[in-house]
Amino acid sequence: MAPSKEVSIAVIGAGGVGSVFLQQLAHVANNRPSQIRLVYVAIVDKALYHTDYKHIEIATALSALEATGRPLPSIPQTIEYLSAAPGKVIVVDNTSSQQVAEAYPQFLRRGISVVTPNKKGFSGSWKLWQEIFDAEGTDGSMVYHECSVGAALPIIGPLKMLVETGDEVTRIEGVFSGTMSYLFNNFAPTEGSGGKWSDEVKKAKQLGYTEPDPRDDLNGLDVARKVTILARLSGLPVESPTSFPVQSLIPKELEGVDSGDEFLTKLSEYDDQMEAYKAAAEKEDRVVRYVGYVDMASKQAKVGLESFDKSHPIASLKGSDNIISIYTKRYGNLPLIVQGAGAGAAVTAMGVLGDVLKVLERIR
Amino acid sequence: MAPSKEVSIAVIGAGGVGSVFLQQLAHVANNRPSQIRLVYVAIVDKALYHTDYKHIEIATALSALEATGRPLPSIPQTIEYLSAAPGKVIVVDNTSSQQVAEAYPQFLRRGISVVTPNKKGFSGSWKLWQEIFDAEGTDGSMVYHECSVGAALPIIGPLKMLVETGDEVTRIEGVFSGTMSYLFNNFAPTEGSGGKWSDEVKKAKQLGYTEPDPRDDLNGLDVARKVTILARLSGLPVESPTSFPVQSLIPKELEGVDSGDEFLTKLSEYDDQMEAYKAAAEKEDRVVRYVGYVDMASKQAKVGLESFDKSHPIASLKGSDNIISIYTKRYGNLPLIVQGAGAGAAVTAMGVLGDVLKVLERIR
């Protein structure tokens, strides 16, 4: 069933997602012994590769990289190297690097397919988005980025299918951040009273649910990036993730604070602000949530706090789950809803691997 | 971006789904003028095709079929005809025919890909399932049947991806029938008291939500077929849709009744039976729903009535929506949930077309 042409794979990044991806790839490659040739693995400062493109044993790639890695080549050097690799080439970008994302058009123009959970390439400037999709197709190159929104949850693939078959998106709404989901499900639960805002933020950080500096979650940019991607796929050429209204949950007074730790220490002084949102919602027997919207009729995107009836699926979300509702002409009043873990190394790596398998199926 | 190799397409069936599929295909084909050659369209008793494989104008195919169709060739004749069509061939089965489904292995062995919403091929005997997937791959032939469960909802594709990347399904539960969803959301709503069972069945029939004979929904076989497909994809080799417990909602006393109409007339005499289920659930502040299960730990599938807490997503379903929860090792306690319209001509045709586009992308 599976195509058996040999394909060269390059993996950039071996953090939480990248290292689990390599484990999962090793499992899959065992079932396709002659198809997958790992020719390049890189971390932030070094890379492992052989000038004769000898296959790197996947299961031990990271320890080999640690032991015998060479200084990281530049991106143009990497592209030169990969261009001559056996068969078609897939580069898997498991970083969140802006620099790597900006190189996607160069990879694609050389016939190298790109698979990535990195949001930067698809949620940065409209120009970069256009360059990526203009370059896609050169010599059969493909781009897959399912995990740039909601990890492995089936969102981007189905959304592209809807549009390609002639359906029209009318509205998208959802909770797009596992961190925000966790924070609000605990701060303003549908049953019980919930904790103090600053306590919930501290707890989330301790559990590893936030970025090292929680302000990188609370500023809303992560959600704005995902909304940007969904808007563009729906046909709205959003200029950038800062070109539409995004409500930051960082108190104005703390915007200039130097460190994330200092921010966390001082955050409790401003709990009143979030408490006010919560109380206003409670008055109407509702709960407050941090959501993103794309509205195709008014051609607007928006990210921020909204209140929801307690029976609304967005209100009754659990843990750090994401939920995405896609309203279209064909689906009518009841949207297509996808819900589940939108972050975490295992599911993100799985979604990336799923995209790699799609490229393998399509490679000619 | 799109591959431009010419592909011949044969469409069998032009009922609700089939006719809308042709409209949608016409729209897509306009954007890929030289790629799609419609070489065969058939309804129950006739077919339109040209011995020189001249392209049939898609937008007017049905009226041309009506006017100039020839007697329906046999399946072996159809396969002979299609085997010599230009380029690779895709047969789109928009019927619910057992006979066509049983021919899938023959199509596939001749290199003809199969795309279909027809459940019969995948939920019949285990032997037919094996024959289909053994034959898949011959000369690059492919099988796509996303719409055999939940119409265009992303269920089968994502489930296959989970398994292929090494995740393990632990449990699947859901409401798999739009008819059953509508009936129970109205018979036992989470708010208010709901109607009498027999009245709801009559209303559903009037609205066109049931099969012509509502017993074809109430016997549970449709749900059992979908559960069979999901179980098999999860790795449970279910023998047939009648090889596990399926609760029929047809009162024993009415099993022998001749016509659907007589059945509907007499159904109200047995409303007590369904009322008892509803009352038992209400006593615990719950509601009754008709659900399907696959449990991988106990290796069992099951279809029937269950009660749910009113805050459970299955309880708060609306309209005739489906909901499917997939629990896996990687997703842990909070499943991947997909919800939305699982029936209807527009969304089903769209899902079929989405599958056709996947085949077009993969054809070499």
Side-chain angles (χ1 to χ4, degrees):
Chain A
M1 247 172 66
S4 55
K5 269 192 187 166
E6 191 179 43
V7 170
S8 290
I9 295 187
V11 179
I12 305 178
V17 172
S19 55
V20 176
F21 170 79
L22 283 167
Q23 290 167 18
Q24 294 182 5
L25 181 67
H27 171 86
V28 165
N30 276 341
N31 304 329
R32 307 166 175 239
S34 62
Q35 195 188 6
I36 293 172
R37 180 191 286 258
L38 183 64
V39 297
Y40 181 94
V41 190
I43 53 177
V44 68
D45 59 350
K46 52 185 170 183
L48 178 64
Y49 57 101
H50 304 293
T51 40
D52 61 355
Y53 302 101
K54 194 172 68 131
H55 173 63
I56 300 166
E57 196 56 44
I58 304 171
T60 55
L62 288 186
S63 50
L65 168 59
E66 211 50 65
T68 65
R70 305 191 241 176
L72 189 75
S74 71
I75 285 177
Q77 285 168 335
T78 305
I79 292 175
E80 275 321 306
Y81 167 74
L82 292 177
S83 301
K88 294 282 184 178
V89 182
I90 305 172
V91 62
V92 180
D93 171 20
N94 284 326
T95 73
S96 57
S97 156
Q98 177 72 29
Q99 195 203 353
V100 177
E102 283 175 5
Y104 296 164
Q106 299 165 53
F107 283 108
L108 293 162
R109 278 196 289 266
R110 294 297 287 270
I112 299 169
S113 293
V114 173
V115 169
T116 186
N118 183 353
K119 293 181 285 291
K120 301 271 167 69
F122 312 97
S123 60
S125 73
W126 173 244
K127 185 165 163 282
L128 178 57
W129 168 278
Q130 281 183 306
E131 281 176 5
I132 290 170
F133 292 103
D134 285 350
E136 186 188 21
T138 315
D139 227 349
S141 63
M142 302 167 226
V143 183
Y144 280 94
H145 59 104
E146 183 60 73
C147 293
S148 60
V149 178
L153 297 178
I155 297 163
I156 293 194
L159 181 55
K160 282 187 149 186
M161 183 276 282
L162 293 169
V163 173
E164 277 172 23
T165 60
D167 200 1
E168 283 173 46
V169 174
T170 52
R171 194 156 66 95
I172 296 179
E173 67 177 33
V175 171
F176 297 103
S177 153
T179 312
M180 290 293 198
S181 181
Y182 175 85
L183 286 174
F184 283 91
N185 298 344
N186 286 282
F187 170 62
T190 51
E191 286 172 37
S193 59
K196 273 172 56 186
W197 176 249
S198 58
D199 288 345
E200 297 300 343
V201 175
K202 279 173 205 156
K203 207 184 340 164
K205 171 151 162 77
Q206 278 159 14
L207 290 166
Y209 288 176
T210 69
E211 296 293 323
D213 184 339
R215 287 176 295 185
D216 290 338
D217 293 297
L218 297 179
N219 65 12
L221 181 60
D222 171 73
V223 176
R225 285 189 177 280
K226 291 164 183 167
V227 165
T228 298
I229 295 171
L230 298 178
R232 287 172 176 175
L233 290 173
S234 303
L236 197 64
V238 166
E239 183 52 42
S240 83
T242 55
S243 67
F244 54 88
V246 176
Q247 182 178 7
S248 169
L249 300 187
I250 301 172
K252 269 206 165 46
E253 299 83 348
L254 297 181
E255 274 172 359
V257 159
D258 281 341
S259 74
D261 285 343
E262 191 187 342
F263 168 76
L264 267 187
T265 312
K266 291 188 172 164
L267 185 58
S268 61
E269 297 169 28
Y270 304 91
D271 275 340
D272 286 358
Q273 299 182 7
M274 290 300 295
E275 203 58 46
Y277 286 114
K278 182 169 159 178
E282 265 173 6
K283 242 187 206 163
E284 298 174 306
D285 204 28
R286 290 160 82 94
V287 291
V288 65
R289 294 289 182 267
Y290 194 82
V291 292
Y293 286 98
V294 178
D295 185 70
M296 296 303 288
S298 63
K299 296 185 197 295
Q300 284 185 326
K302 199 175 74 174
V303 169
L305 294 171
E306 295 276 346
S307 72
F308 290 88
D309 194 273
K310 288 181 180 175
S311 69
H312 194 287
I314 284 183
S316 51
L317 214 55
K318 292 193 174 58
S320 57
D321 267 9
N322 288 13
I323 186 169
I324 293 93
S325 299
I326 303 176
Y327 291 81
T328 76
K329 286 227 165 129
R330 288 182 186 146
Y331 275 105
N333 291 331
L334 295 175
L336 163 61
I337 301 176
V338 179
Q339 180 180 332
V347 293
T348 307
M350 166 166 74
V352 174
L353 184 54
D355 279 354
V356 168
L357 295 178
K358 288 196 185 94
V359 176
L360 290 180
E361 282 177 345
R362 289 180 58 188
I363 274 177
R364 280 146 218 270
Chain B
M1 250 173 64
S4 56
K5 269 193 189 166
E6 192 179 41
V7 169
S8 290
I9 294 186
V11 179
I12 306 178
V17 172
S19 55
V20 176
F21 170 79
L22 283 167
Q23 290 166 19
Q24 295 183 3
L25 181 68
H27 171 86
V28 166
N30 276 340
N31 304 329
R32 306 165 176 239
S34 62
Q35 195 188 7
I36 292 171
R37 180 190 286 258
L38 182 64
V39 296
Y40 181 94
V41 190
I43 52 176
V44 68
D45 58 350
K46 53 186 169 182
L48 178 64
Y49 57 102
H50 305 292
T51 41
D52 62 354
Y53 302 101
K54 196 173 65 134
H55 174 62
I56 300 165
E57 197 54 46
I58 302 172
T60 54
L62 288 186
S63 50
L65 169 59
E66 211 48 65
T68 65
R70 305 190 240 177
L72 190 74
S74 70
I75 285 176
Q77 285 168 337
T78 306
I79 291 175
E80 276 320 305
Y81 167 76
L82 292 177
S83 302
K88 293 283 183 176
V89 183
I90 305 172
V91 61
V92 181
D93 171 19
N94 283 326
T95 73
S96 58
S97 156
Q98 177 72 30
Q99 195 202 352
V100 178
E102 283 175 6
Y104 296 164
Q106 299 164 53
F107 283 108
L108 292 163
R109 278 196 290 265
R110 295 295 287 270
I112 299 169
S113 293
V114 173
V115 169
T116 185
N118 182 354
K119 291 180 286 290
K120 300 271 166 68
F122 312 97
S123 60
S125 73
W126 173 246
K127 184 166 164 283
L128 178 56
W129 169 279
Q130 280 183 307
E131 280 175 4
I132 290 170
F133 291 103
D134 285 350
E136 186 189 20
T138 314
D139 228 350
S141 63
M142 303 166 224
V143 183
Y144 280 94
H145 59 105
E146 183 61 71
C147 292
S148 60
V149 178
L153 298 177
I155 297 164
I156 293 192
L159 181 55
K160 282 186 151 188
M161 184 276 282
L162 293 170
V163 173
E164 275 172 24
T165 60
D167 200 1
E168 284 173 45
V169 174
T170 52
R171 193 155 66 95
I172 297 178
E173 67 178 33
V175 171
F176 298 102
S177 154
T179 312
M180 290 293 198
S181 180
Y182 175 86
L183 287 173
F184 283 91
N185 298 344
N186 286 283
F187 170 61
T190 51
E191 285 171 37
S193 59
K196 272 173 57 187
W197 176 250
S198 58
D199 287 345
E200 296 301 343
V201 175
K202 279 173 205 155
K203 208 185 337 165
K205 170 150 163 78
Q206 277 159 15
L207 290 166
Y209 288 177
T210 69
E211 297 293 322
D213 184 338
R215 287 176 295 183
D216 291 337
D217 293 297
L218 298 179
N219 65 12
L221 182 60
D222 171 72
V223 177
R225 285 190 177 279
K226 291 164 183 166
V227 165
T228 298
I229 295 171
L230 298 178
R232 288 172 176 175
L233 289 172
S234 304
L236 198 64
V238 166
E239 183 52 42
S240 83
T242 55
S243 66
F244 55 87
V246 177
Q247 182 178 6
S248 169
L249 300 187
I250 302 172
K252 269 207 164 48
E253 299 83 348
L254 296 181
E255 274 173 359
V257 159
D258 281 341
S259 74
D261 286 343
E262 191 187 343
F263 168 76
L264 267 187
T265 312
K266 292 190 171 163
L267 185 59
S268 62
E269 297 169 27
Y270 302 92
D271 274 340
D272 287 358
Q273 298 182 7
M274 289 299 296
E275 203 57 46
Y277 286 113
K278 183 170 158 176
E282 265 173 8
K283 240 187 208 162
E284 299 175 303
D285 204 28
R286 290 160 81 95
V287 290
V288 65
R289 293 289 182 266
Y290 193 83
V291 292
Y293 286 98
V294 178
D295 186 71
M296 296 303 288
S298 63
K299 296 187 196 299
Q300 283 184 326
K302 199 174 71 174
V303 169
L305 294 171
E306 296 276 344
S307 72
F308 290 89
D309 194 274
K310 287 179 180 176
S311 69
H312 193 286
I314 285 184
S316 52
L317 214 55
K318 291 194 174 57
S320 57
D321 268 8
N322 287 14
I323 186 168
I324 293 93
S325 300
I326 303 177
Y327 292 81
T328 75
K329 286 227 164 129
R330 287 181 187 147
Y331 275 106
N333 291 330
L334 295 175
L336 163 62
I337 302 176
V338 180
Q339 180 180 333
V347 292
T348 307
M350 165 167 75
V352 175
L353 184 54
D355 279 354
V356 168
L357 295 179
K358 288 196 185 96
V359 176
L360 291 180
E361 282 178 345
R362 287 182 57 190
I363 273 177
R364 281 146 218 271

